[in-house]
Amino acid sequence: MRGTRTPDLACRRLFSGPHPPASRSIWPPTAEAAMLPPSPSIRSLIAYIAIFIFNSSGTWALWPVPASYQHGIDVVWLANNVAFRYAIANETTSPSKLSNATAPSVTLNSSSSYAIVEAAIQRARDRLFGDNLVPWKFHPRNSNFEPNVTAPKVYISSVTIQQNRSDAISILKPLDGEVNENYTLSITTSGAVVITAVSSIGVLRALDTFTQLFYKHSALSDGIYCPCAPVSIVDAPKFPHRGLNMDVARDYYAPSDILHAIDALAWNKLNRLHLHVTDGQSWPLDITTLPELSKKGAYRSDLTYSPQDLAQIQEYGMYRGVEVIFEIDMPGHTSSIHWAYPDLITAYNIQPNWVEYANEPPSGSLKLNSSAVYDFLHSLWEDLLPRAATYSAYFHTGGDELNPNAYKLDETVRSNDTHVIQPLLQKFVDFNHGYVRAAGMAPMVWEEMLLVWNLTLGKDVVVQTWLSDDSVLQT
C-alpha cells in the first residue's frame, strides 16, 4: 500500500484572506523573544538576495517573492509607538494577558492564536526598530536614494490585523495542508495598514513580509520608512510542505544554532524543520530511560540534546510557524547504539571491507529478529514519542540504505536473502509505527521502505524521497 510522499521543498511563491470585525489592542505584547537571546539578523542576507531581483521600475524586493505584489513610489513612515491591533472574527472573549517574563507554553485552546500573534508582533517590532537596515547596496554608490527628512511626513498610526476565522485545533501541530497560510497586506499613501489572514500562521507570514518593506534613514536616530506606498500584496504558499533537513548526528549543532536555523526558515516562510537526530556516527539524543545511549554514543558527553533542549526547539519553532519533525533512522545507520548496547547491533564496524555491509562507515544495523531489540525500542519510544508529540504531527523512523548483507552476521537471521529479511522488516516497521500512532503522530519513512523493500505501509505514512526524480514518480 502506498503512503503519502513529500520531498522537502523550498517555497518561492507565497500568500489572501477576507475581513473580520472588532479589533483588540495587543500592544505592547508579551516578551516572547525572552525565550532566548535574539538570533543574528538575516535582513542583510535578504538585502544581498534583493540585489539580484531588483527591477528597473524601482521595486525594492521582497523575499520570497509574493504571489502578487503591486506598489507605488510614495513614502510612509513608521514610529516605534505604532499600535498593532489584532482581531479574530466571531470571537467575543479575550484570553488572559500573558506573562511579561517568559513565553508561555501554548496549549491547544482558544488563547493559542493570541499567544502566537502577540509573540510575532514583538519579533516584528524588534526587527523593524532594531535591525537598522540602511539599504546602501540596493542603489548605486553615492546616490541620493533616501527620502527628504525635512519634507512633511505621513505616519502609519496603527496596523490592523484581521483573522477571518478561528484557528483549527491542529494549529500547533498540523499535518501538511491543514493550516491556511494565505494573507493579504495593504499600505495606503495615507498610512493605513491592513493585514488579513485565515489563520494565525498566515498572520506570521504577513508580519515577516511587512518588516521587509521598511528601512532606516541614515540621518535619523528613530523612525523608519517604506518607499513604495501604496502597497498591495496577496500571497499564498505554492507547496504545503516547505522544509529543511538538518543532520545533527553526523555534525553536532548546538541548540542555539538550531534555533537560528528556525529563524532563517521562518523569515523565508518555510514551515518544516526535519531534524535527523541520530545516525551511525553518533547518538547525541538523551533518552532518560536509556542514559547510556548518549553518554557513550555521542561524540562527547556534553554534545547532546536533553529533553529540555528538544522541548525548547519545538516550542521555538511552533511560535514561528515551523513544525519540528524528529527522525530516528533505523534499522540501518544505527551503529552508534553499539557503544552502549553492543548485543543489539549486527555487522558492527567491519573493516576494511565495510562497503560490503553498509553504504558508509561505520557499518552496523539493529538486529531484526531479536527480543532484546524490541525491548530496547519499547523503552525508546515510551520515553521519546510523548515528548515529540507535543508540537509535531509527524515522527520519522528512517529506513534508508539498509544493506541485507549485514544480516548474514545477525544470529537471529543468518541470511542476506531479501525474501527472508522482508517479513522481518515489515514486522519491525509495523512495531515502530504502532508506537508512533499511539502517540498521536503520523509515521514518516524514507523511500527504500516502499520502493526497495516493498513494505505495506499505512495510508497515513508519509514517504520521503531523496534519491532521484524517478523516485518521486514511483512513490
Side-chain angles (χ1 to χ4, degrees):
M1 184 179 295
R2 292 175 182 264
T4 306
R5 55 104 177 146
T6 173
D8 279 329
L9 294 171
C11 178
R12 296 192 179 276
R13 286 164 53 90
L14 294 140
F15 302 52
S16 129
H19 318 263
S23 58
R24 170 180 178 264
S25 177
I26 59 168
W27 192 259
T30 59
E32 189 271 324
M35 253 168 82
L36 279 173
S39 303
S41 170
I42 201 169
R43 292 191 75 198
S44 58
L45 173 60
I46 294 173
Y48 282 113
I49 295 171
I51 293 171
F52 296 100
I53 50 180
F54 183 89
N55 68 37
S56 59
S57 67
T59 300
W60 291 18
L62 301 174
W63 186 258
V65 179
S68 172
Y69 174 33
Q70 297 177 321
H71 68 94
I73 57 173
D74 289 345
V75 175
V76 292
W77 294 78
L78 190 69
N80 60 14
N81 63 350
V82 64
F84 287 77
R85 303 184 182 278
Y86 171 52
I88 302 176
N90 302 320
E91 287 203 7
T92 58
T93 58
S94 298
S96 59
K97 294 297 289 182
L98 306 174
S99 166
N100 286 321
T102 59
S105 293
V106 176
T107 55
L108 298 170
N109 57 46
S110 61
S111 68
S112 55
S113 304
Y114 290 95
I116 291 169
V117 173
E118 286 184 0
I121 290 172
Q122 178 67 65
R123 293 194 304 274
R125 180 179 172 82
D126 291 344
R127 204 159 16 173
L128 284 164
F129 299 102
D131 279 3
N132 298 322
L133 176 63
V134 179
W136 303 110
K137 294 183 179 181
F138 284 25
H139 305 278
R141 295 174 187 271
N142 300 312
S143 61
N144 185 20
F145 63 86
E146 294 182 297
N148 184 351
V149 296
T150 63
K153 297 181 179 65
V154 175
Y155 276 91
I156 295 169
S157 58
S158 66
V159 177
T160 300
I161 303 171
Q162 301 173 341
Q163 185 176 323
N164 73 342
R165 71 180 68 158
S166 298
D167 281 328
I169 197 70
S170 62
I171 190 70
L172 304 184
K173 42 180 297 182
L175 295 168
D176 287 342
E178 282 189 345
V179 173
N180 187 320
E181 300 178 63
N182 299 2
Y183 71 86
T184 68
L185 167 61
S186 66
I187 303 174
T188 69
T189 54
S190 62
V193 178
V194 176
I195 289 170
T196 68
V198 180
S199 70
S200 57
I201 305 303
V203 173
L204 266 61
R205 309 305 182 214
L207 287 169
D208 278 327
T209 298
F210 182 71
T211 63
Q212 295 180 31
L213 292 166
F214 290 86
Y215 304 93
K216 178 178 171 54
H217 198 293
S218 61
L220 297 177
S221 60
D222 61 351
I224 57 177
Y225 68 94
C226 169
C228 51
V231 173
S232 176
I233 294 173
V234 179
D235 210 356
K238 187 173 182 179
F239 304 107
H241 183 111
R242 310 178 305 280
L244 171 74
N245 185 344
M246 189 173 183
D247 187 335
V248 297
R250 293 181 177 92
D251 297 284
Y252 178 85
Y253 290 86
S256 59
D257 292 331
I258 297 174
L259 301 183
H260 294 166
I262 291 173
D263 283 330
L265 291 172
W267 288 326
N268 285 277
K269 297 185 176 69
L270 305 184
N271 64 1
R272 297 289 189 276
L273 174 61
H274 175 162
L275 284 183
H276 183 83
V277 190
T278 64
D279 209 291
Q281 287 73 18
S282 80
W283 185 290
L285 184 63
D286 289 343
I287 302 297
T288 306
T289 56
L290 300 165
E292 297 297 296
L293 266 177
S294 58
K295 183 178 179 181
K296 296 181 177 180
Y299 285 131
R300 204 171 65 196
S301 60
D302 60 328
L303 299 183
T304 63
Y305 302 107
S306 69
Q308 293 75 27
D309 291 332
L310 260 62
Q312 183 183 49
I313 290 166
Q314 279 194 295
E315 187 167 321
Y316 195 88
M318 178 276 297
Y319 270 106
R320 289 153 181 80
V322 177
E323 186 175 344
V324 179
I325 300 169
F326 300 111
E327 178 192 351
I328 305 294
D329 200 358
M330 58 175 60
H333 291 280
T334 52
S335 54
S336 59
I337 295 173
H338 182 274
W339 292 100
Y341 301 99
D343 292 341
L344 305 183
I345 301 298
T346 185
Y348 174 71
N349 197 24
I350 302 297
Q351 296 293 347
N353 59 330
W354 58 264
V355 71
E356 184 179 343
Y357 301 96
N359 280 44
E360 62 184 31
S363 61
S365 298
L366 279 170
K367 296 177 180 178
L368 271 187
N369 200 23
S370 164
S371 60
V373 167
Y374 281 96
D375 291 342
F376 167 83
L377 293 172
H378 170 80
S379 297
L380 174 64
W381 299 140
E382 286 289 301
D383 184 299
L384 177 60
L385 293 179
R387 294 188 279 114
T390 305
Y391 292 127
S392 182
Y394 298 99
F395 190 89
H396 205 304
T397 60
D400 63 315
E401 298 182 328
L402 181 62
N403 192 315
N405 288 335
Y407 293 104
K408 290 191 299 184
L409 306 183
D410 178 356
E411 74 279 5
T412 72
V413 179
R414 298 195 182 281
S415 176
N416 65 351
D417 186 339
T418 58
H419 294 92
V420 173
I421 295 171
Q422 200 268 359
L424 297 174
L425 183 59
Q426 181 75 62
K427 176 185 174 183
F428 180 89
V429 170
D430 288 346
F431 180 87
N432 292 334
H433 288 184
Y435 277 89
V436 173
R437 293 186 182 101
M441 294 182 287
M444 299 179 73
V445 296
W446 291 115
E447 63 183 83
E448 289 95 325
M449 294 291 94
L450 178 66
L451 300 182
V452 175
W453 292 98
N454 195 31
L455 296 191
T456 299
L457 300 172
K459 291 182 178 180
D460 60 335
V461 176
V462 175
V463 177
Q464 279 197 309
T465 60
W466 66 282
L467 287 172
S468 67
D469 291 344
D470 187 56
S471 298
V472 177
L473 295 174
Q474 291 182 60
T475 52

